[in-house]
Amino acid sequence: MEFPRLPSRDTNGQTVVLPDDLEGEQTLLLISFDHRQQSLVGSWRGFANELTETYNHFGYYELVVLGGRSGMMPPVAGGGMSPDMARSRPHDNALVARVDKTALQRRLGLLGEGNIYALLIEDGQIVRQAAGVLTPETADALEKLLKQWREVHSGWTDASNVGPTTGDSALDS
C-alpha cells in the first residue's frame, strides 16, 4: 500500500513531506493521535534508536496526527509544535501533521485513534504494520526484516549459521 503524501512539521517548524522527506531506505513511522499516547510510543523509542545505530539504511520518525474531522486546527505561532508538545518531544525525529484524522486512518487502513501504529515504509510503500506497544515478537520480526534487507542489498549474507568451509572458496584462508 502506498503511503499518501502528507505535509507535516518538525520541532523547528520546518515542513517535512511524508514519505518523500523520510531518511532511510527502510523507515519506521510511529503514528499517534494524541500527546497522551507518548508512553505507548515510548515503548518503541529505545529499540528504534538501537536499530538506527545498527542499520545505517534504517530511519525512524514519530508522527503525531492532530486535527478533527474537518482537519482544521488553529496555527501554532512560528509554524512548529505547541510549546507543551515540543517540551515532551525534544528529539529531532518528531513530526506533527494537522489533517483530517478519519480520512488518514481510512487511507492507511488503521482502526481508529485509540491506539498507536508502527508502519515500515520502503520506497513510499507500507510493507509492514503493527498496532500498539512494542512486543518481543514484533521487535524480532522487525529486526529480521532489516537484516534481510541489508543482506539483499549488500551482496553479503550472514554466515554465522553456515557450516564450516571446505577450502574451495577464494575467501578461505
Side-chain angles (χ1 to χ4, degrees):
M1 167 190 311
E2 186 174 349
F3 191 91
R5 293 195 78 236
L6 180 65
S8 62
R9 295 220 179 250
D10 65 14
T11 55
N12 297 317
Q14 299 298 310
T15 299
V16 177
V17 178
L18 307 178
D20 303 343
D21 296 336
L22 297 177
E23 292 183 15
E25 284 113 326
Q26 287 186 305
T27 306
L28 180 67
L29 182 64
L30 302 173
I31 301 175
S32 63
F33 296 94
D34 190 303
H35 70 278
R36 293 174 290 198
Q37 293 175 321
Q38 289 310 296
S39 63
L40 300 175
V41 172
S43 73
W44 289 84
R45 191 173 293 132
F47 181 64
N49 280 322
E50 287 176 27
L51 293 176
T52 59
E53 292 174 12
T54 304
Y55 300 95
N56 61 2
H57 73 277
F58 175 75
Y60 103 94
Y61 295 84
E62 298 176 17
L63 175 67
V64 177
V65 179
L66 303 175
R69 296 184 70 76
S70 69
M72 301 301 292
M73 290 291 290
V76 175
M81 295 185 173
S82 70
D84 288 339
M85 187 170 289
R87 275 193 298 276
S88 68
R89 302 171 59 82
H91 38 84
D92 293 333
N93 60 345
L95 305 170
V96 65
R98 287 172 166 69
V99 297
D100 181 334
K101 289 181 183 182
T102 305
L104 181 64
Q105 291 162 10
R106 189 175 20 249
R107 177 80 187 266
L108 296 175
L110 306 179
L111 301 173
E113 60 187 74
N115 212 341
I116 65 163
Y117 299 90
L119 307 179
L120 184 62
I121 300 171
E122 294 177 15
D123 296 323
Q125 300 290 318
I126 301 167
V127 294
R128 296 285 192 282
Q129 78 177 44
V133 298
L134 180 67
T135 65
E137 295 80 16
T138 305
D140 289 344
L142 177 57
E143 189 154 21
K144 183 177 179 182
L145 288 169
L146 297 179
K147 205 176 282 189
Q148 288 172 344
W149 189 98
R150 181 175 63 186
E151 289 174 0
V152 166
H153 291 85
S154 73
W156 292 90
T157 58
D158 181 2
S160 62
N161 294 327
V162 177
T165 60
T166 62
D168 295 336
S169 172
L171 292 177
D172 290 342
S173 48

